[in-house]
Amino acid sequence: MQANIKGLVDRLELSQAKAMMPLYEAISNAIDAIEEHQDGFINHSIRIRMVASNDLVHQGGDGTLVVDGFDVIDDGVGFNDKNLASFKEAHTLSKVKLGGRGVGRFTFLKVFSSVRIRSVFKREGKALLREFDFSIEDELKGADVTSEVTEKCGTQTSLRGMNEKFRAGWPTQPETIAERVIAHFLIRFAARSCPPMTLESPGHAPIDLHALFQSTVLTHIEEQFFDVSGHTFALQAYRHRDGRSRHELNLCANGREVTTTKLRDLLPELPEKFLDDEQSPYTLIILVTGEYLDDHANQERTRIAFQSDDEPELEQTLVSRRTLNQGITGALRPLLSGDLKSTNEEKRAQIEKFIEHAPEYRALTHPRYRELLEQRIQPGLSAEKLDEEMLHVKRTVEDEVRKEAKHVAALFETETFEQYQEKFKEIAEKANEIGKAQLAAYIAHRRTILDLVNNSLKKKRTDDKYPLERVLHKMIFPMGMTSKDIFFEQQNLWVIDERLCYHTLLTSDKKLKSVAGLDDTSGREPDIFAFFYDTPIGVAEPDNLPGGGVVIIEFKRPGRDNYDKDPADQIIQRFREIAEGGVADVDGRQINPANLRYTGYLIADLTPSLHRQVFGRYHRTADNEGYFSPLATGNGYIEILSYDKLIKDANRRNRILFDKLGLHKN
């Protein structure tokens, strides 16, 4: 043999739980040898003969089967020269096409001390016998010696002398051994690609493995037929309880599995394992067969030809793998409705709880999207992963609604008004649901911002001071930015005044003279500066202000109590600069400053020193939580808002929205 056998066997990892692997390998070799006849499995057979340990317990008449070895006897083509050459090669490639790795026979030597091969094969019409031992010491001594015989072709593989450390991995009941063999070769049994097989044990009646499969396994297999692109396929679903680690999808051709993939790639809604009524775990094994698969599998049975998704027009006779997958999922889901019932119930409960904090997805709880959620969302996701998957589903729904809307619009010219009206009503209802979801997300965002601002005002730093005003400033509008730099959702000017959202240009902590049209002003940086060119929406009626409006906002540190002058003076100074400068509109045309309206907001806590500085110069607001004063020029006013008033007023303006969404806090 072209390798160091002892080294290979020593390095071979085989746990006690895998102690039956030598038996499976011997049976697999027998099946392959029979398949080489190419005259059908039904015309051949395999005998599995268990050999009991002749220990003192057995000699005393105990009927418990303690396995010492076994014989696997087949009527395949035998160890001809080609098969012997393959056996001699340590990591043979001869079985790669069958899914083998070429090292399975070394498990013989890992578990048993003696391996004997007796095989009859044909060469030039003559039946020849080849008999040899396979061992670490002598490798394949005598394997090249043959003698002519009159027997039929076939091989007997005999293993004896089980290593004691593997004995616990072997069942003591022949029925259990038979069940294990069926479980290992389940795909072959289910795909009818296995020769008749019998298990014999001393003191027990022979067991017909095919009959056992028919009575105990086949009854649990559900079969469904489906058509794809004019071809008929059969799907078999089996619930397997041998502890397999994953659900499997097997495409089979000519009675053999060709490709094995993760079933959860097609059905993400599957849990890792199902639990039956007795809370025992099981997984799914799905077999798909059909003439198309038989005809389009390659010679090595490692690949099936499918239509390319990139150039389908060049392979019109082939089936698309994507289309086949759709057919598989469509046929399989009805079969699994019972299995998925409890999983889907748990999933819906998780989604409903999650939506309490993510109302933007509430529209997806409509019954029409129930099946989509069940199919697209995996069970047991973390909140972060669930949010990601829900977003994907939401986008899918939005895309479908947009496509339907275009389709309905096109029907206006071809359908009757009544037909158009009915379809329009349906699509409008879906679009309305999506709109509500988007509005809900924005309302939830407002609730969060108000909570953040409110919590920031409550917390003091380690130096017993409130947070800097820039912390609150950033929550309302990012510092050092303009309204051209950020999206609408990133600014929260509505906290101060809803009307501020409709500015023409807004800057935050930018030099006043950097604003186009205010080149002749100073380098001072208002916290927030907003300009309304010609359309001062929300600041005053357009008819009264043909020139536009100016808004300046300044934040003062919460809790500050060291004012030695009116803090609003800095706003008035900026207004004066603008009035004296050459103000131009967006088109570069000069604006008469007299036609501008000036609005200033000073946001600060109403501390004693601030009260003193504004005493007698301002009017108190109706709620006694702020001040206001018109400008002496008569074209604007200044408003001083306490942080408490800012939050309260914003909550009041948004209360009806929060109430409707269940987000209001008493």
Side-chain angles (χ1 to χ4, degrees):
M1 183 166 287
Q2 301 170 14
N4 183 316
I5 293 183
K6 187 177 187 306
L8 284 170
V9 173
D10 289 343
R11 290 194 300 271
L12 186 63
E13 294 183 6
L14 194 69
S15 66
Q16 189 180 76
K18 301 289 185 180
M20 292 183 65
M21 284 302 297
L23 175 61
Y24 302 150
E25 177 66 18
I27 295 173
S28 181
N29 290 342
I31 295 173
D32 293 340
I34 289 174
E35 190 171 20
E36 283 193 52
H37 279 300
Q38 297 184 349
D39 58 353
F41 287 115
I42 194 64
N43 299 311
H44 301 274
S45 64
I46 295 175
R47 290 174 59 203
I48 306 166
R49 193 164 56 198
M50 307 309 300
V51 177
S53 173
N54 190 28
D55 56 13
L56 294 177
V57 175
H58 177 71
Q59 293 173 8
D62 192 315
T64 302
L65 175 64
V66 179
V67 176
D68 182 64
F70 60 81
D71 299 325
V72 173
I73 306 163
D74 68 72
D75 53 358
V77 297
F79 260 73
N80 53 34
D81 294 339
K82 182 189 70 172
N83 290 339
L84 179 63
S86 172
F87 196 87
K88 285 182 177 181
E89 187 178 352
H91 291 272
T92 179
L93 298 178
S94 67
K95 288 193 179 183
V96 167
K97 66 180 182 180
L98 306 177
R101 292 177 296 170
V103 296
R105 60 197 178 284
F106 295 111
T107 63
F108 295 172
L109 304 179
K110 191 76 172 181
V111 180
F112 295 92
S113 61
S114 171
V115 180
R116 179 77 175 169
I117 308 293
R118 186 183 189 281
S119 183
V120 177
F121 65 96
K122 283 193 174 182
R123 181 196 296 158
E124 298 177 351
K126 295 181 180 180
L128 301 176
L129 171 65
R130 174 174 280 137
E131 199 168 6
F132 60 93
D133 290 324
F134 175 38
S135 65
I136 292 177
E137 296 79 12
D138 298 324
E139 298 188 354
L140 301 176
K141 186 177 181 180
D144 295 321
V145 178
T146 62
S147 59
E148 190 171 346
V149 294
T150 58
E151 301 175 36
K152 292 182 179 181
C153 291
T155 300
Q156 176 172 319
T157 302
S158 302
L159 280 69
R160 301 288 188 275
M162 183 184 296
N163 188 318
E164 284 297 326
K165 72 176 182 178
F166 290 104
R167 194 172 299 283
W170 280 76
T172 57
Q173 294 297 322
E175 292 82 1
T176 307
I177 295 176
E179 290 170 356
R180 296 270 184 92
V181 172
I182 291 173
H184 186 82
F185 294 97
L186 176 67
I187 294 174
R188 282 189 168 277
F189 277 92
R192 301 174 181 87
S193 60
C194 194
M197 202 177 299
T198 305
L199 177 70
E200 303 172 2
S201 300
H204 297 81
I207 299 174
D208 183 334
L209 269 66
H210 274 273
L212 183 62
F213 169 78
Q214 296 279 344
S215 62
T216 62
V217 177
L218 189 60
T219 54
H220 297 289
I221 292 181
E222 294 184 74
E223 193 167 39
Q224 185 82 15
F225 294 90
F226 62 97
D227 293 332
V228 173
S229 304
H231 299 275
T232 299
F233 296 86
L235 179 149
Q236 292 177 311
Y238 176 60
R239 295 159 182 83
H240 204 37
R241 291 173 168 79
D242 77 333
R244 291 192 182 214
S245 60
R246 69 178 191 181
H247 307 288
E248 292 181 353
L249 169 64
N250 299 275
L251 299 186
C252 306
N254 302 303
R256 294 283 297 273
E257 71 275 14
V258 178
T259 64
T260 300
T261 56
K262 296 178 181 179
L263 186 59
R264 294 183 81 190
D265 290 344
L266 259 67
L267 300 176
E269 67 263 37
L270 296 179
E272 289 190 8
K273 289 182 183 294
F274 287 107
L275 295 177
D276 60 20
D277 294 338
E278 298 177 355
Q279 298 301 298
S280 297
Y282 67 91
T283 53
L284 297 170
I285 296 180
I286 307 301
L287 310 179
V288 179
T289 58
E291 288 186 6
Y292 177 88
L293 302 179
D294 294 340
D295 296 339
H296 292 85
N298 63 351
Q299 184 177 359
E300 295 79 18
R301 283 198 294 267
T302 58
R303 183 176 57 83
I304 295 171
F306 289 107
Q307 186 182 93
S308 170
D309 291 331
D310 298 327
E311 299 178 330
E313 66 279 356
L314 300 180
E315 303 168 331
Q316 295 182 6
T317 60
L318 299 181
V319 171
S320 163
R321 179 62 190 267
R322 182 184 302 172
T323 307
L324 177 61
N325 286 345
Q326 291 172 349
I328 292 171
T329 56
L332 186 55
R333 281 191 170 114
L335 295 181
L336 302 181
S337 59
D339 303 77
L340 289 168
K341 183 179 179 181
S342 61
T343 298
N344 285 333
E345 288 174 352
E346 293 174 4
K347 190 190 306 180
R348 285 195 297 274
Q350 182 189 12
I351 290 174
E352 289 172 2
K353 185 176 181 181
F354 172 74
I355 286 176
E356 292 177 5
H357 305 284
E360 63 267 32
Y361 302 120
R362 185 160 292 160
L364 296 179
T365 59
H366 191 285
R368 68 163 55 94
Y369 304 120
R370 174 176 174 176
E371 185 175 331
L372 182 62
L373 286 177
E374 289 178 351
Q375 295 176 5
R376 293 282 295 273
I377 304 297
Q378 290 185 5
L381 296 177
S382 65
E384 182 179 354
K385 189 65 176 177
L386 181 57
D387 183 42
E388 182 181 328
E389 294 303 319
M390 291 290 285
L391 179 59
H392 289 319
V393 174
K394 179 171 174 283
R395 287 175 176 169
T396 298
V397 172
E398 290 172 349
D399 289 343
E400 290 176 354
V401 170
R402 278 192 288 269
K403 291 177 183 177
E404 288 184 41
K406 291 180 181 178
H407 177 66
V408 170
L411 293 177
F412 185 75
E413 299 293 333
T414 58
E415 301 283 352
T416 66
F417 178 76
E418 288 75 15
Q419 292 172 319
Y420 171 78
Q421 186 181 40
E422 184 63 30
K423 292 179 179 178
F424 177 82
K425 179 181 178 182
E426 181 182 347
I427 191 65
E429 183 181 347
K430 292 181 181 179
N432 190 36
E433 290 170 358
I434 294 174
K436 288 178 181 177
Q438 293 170 335
L439 177 60
Y442 185 61
I443 294 171
H445 164 78
R446 287 194 168 197
R447 174 75 274 169
T448 301
I449 291 298
L450 289 177
D451 288 344
L452 286 173
V453 174
N454 192 41
N455 289 336
S456 295
L457 294 171
K458 292 178 180 178
K459 295 180 180 178
K460 290 187 177 183
R461 303 191 308 172
T462 54
D463 58 3
D464 203 35
K465 294 182 179 180
Y466 287 99
L468 297 173
E469 63 274 21
R470 63 171 173 263
V471 175
L472 302 165
H473 181 172
K474 289 177 181 179
M475 293 182 187
I476 293 175
F477 197 95
M479 298 176 70
M481 298 287 186
T482 75
S483 53
K484 294 181 179 180
D485 300 325
I486 64 172
F487 291 109
F488 176 79
E489 294 81 2
Q490 294 174 276
Q491 57 90 3
N492 297 293
L493 295 166
W494 54 268
V495 174
I496 301 172
D497 191 328
E498 296 280 359
R499 300 169 297 180
L500 293 174
C501 301
Y502 300 98
H503 53 262
T504 304
L505 175 66
L506 186 143
T507 67
S508 174
D509 286 282
K510 294 281 190 181
K511 295 184 186 304
L512 200 59
K513 64 181 181 180
S514 68
V515 178
L518 299 180
D519 310 79
D520 294 334
T521 56
S522 71
R524 298 287 185 174
E525 300 177 356
D527 285 344
I528 293 178
F529 167 82
F531 221 148
F532 296 79
Y533 291 109
D534 293 323
T535 53
I537 299 174
V539 179
E541 291 299 324
D543 293 341
N544 297 333
L545 277 177
V550 173
V551 176
I552 290 180
I553 303 169
E554 291 288 349
F555 298 92
K556 296 302 177 183
R557 184 172 183 168
R560 177 177 171 180
D561 192 20
N562 62 347
Y563 298 103
D564 55 7
K565 63 180 179 179
D566 181 358
D569 279 348
Q570 68 183 112
I571 297 176
I572 296 174
Q573 290 303 316
R574 302 293 83 74
F575 288 161
R576 180 186 57 77
E577 291 180 39
I578 294 170
E580 293 175 353
V583 183
D585 64 15
V586 288
D587 298 319
R589 295 180 60 81
Q590 290 297 117
I591 295 176
N592 183 355
N595 292 333
L596 291 175
R597 183 172 181 83
Y598 301 88
T599 304
Y601 293 97
L602 180 77
I603 301 173
D605 279 340
L606 303 184
T607 55
S609 64
L610 190 147
H611 282 300
R612 287 194 297 270
Q613 294 301 327
V614 301
F615 181 78
R617 303 175 64 187
Y618 290 80
H619 303 285
R620 295 298 293 258
T621 58
D623 56 12
N624 210 35
E625 293 184 359
Y627 291 91
F628 70 94
S629 174
L631 296 176
T633 53
N635 59 348
Y637 72 98
I638 299 287
E639 188 170 354
I640 300 176
L641 300 172
S642 69
Y643 282 105
D644 290 337
K645 177 176 173 58
L646 185 74
I647 301 302
K648 287 180 182 178
D649 286 352
N651 271 307
R652 288 166 183 154
R653 292 194 303 271
N654 288 276
R655 177 163 182 167
I656 185 62
L657 301 177
F658 296 158
D659 282 346
K660 293 297 182 182
L661 205 58
L663 297 175
H664 179 67
K665 298 181 179 180
N666 296 323

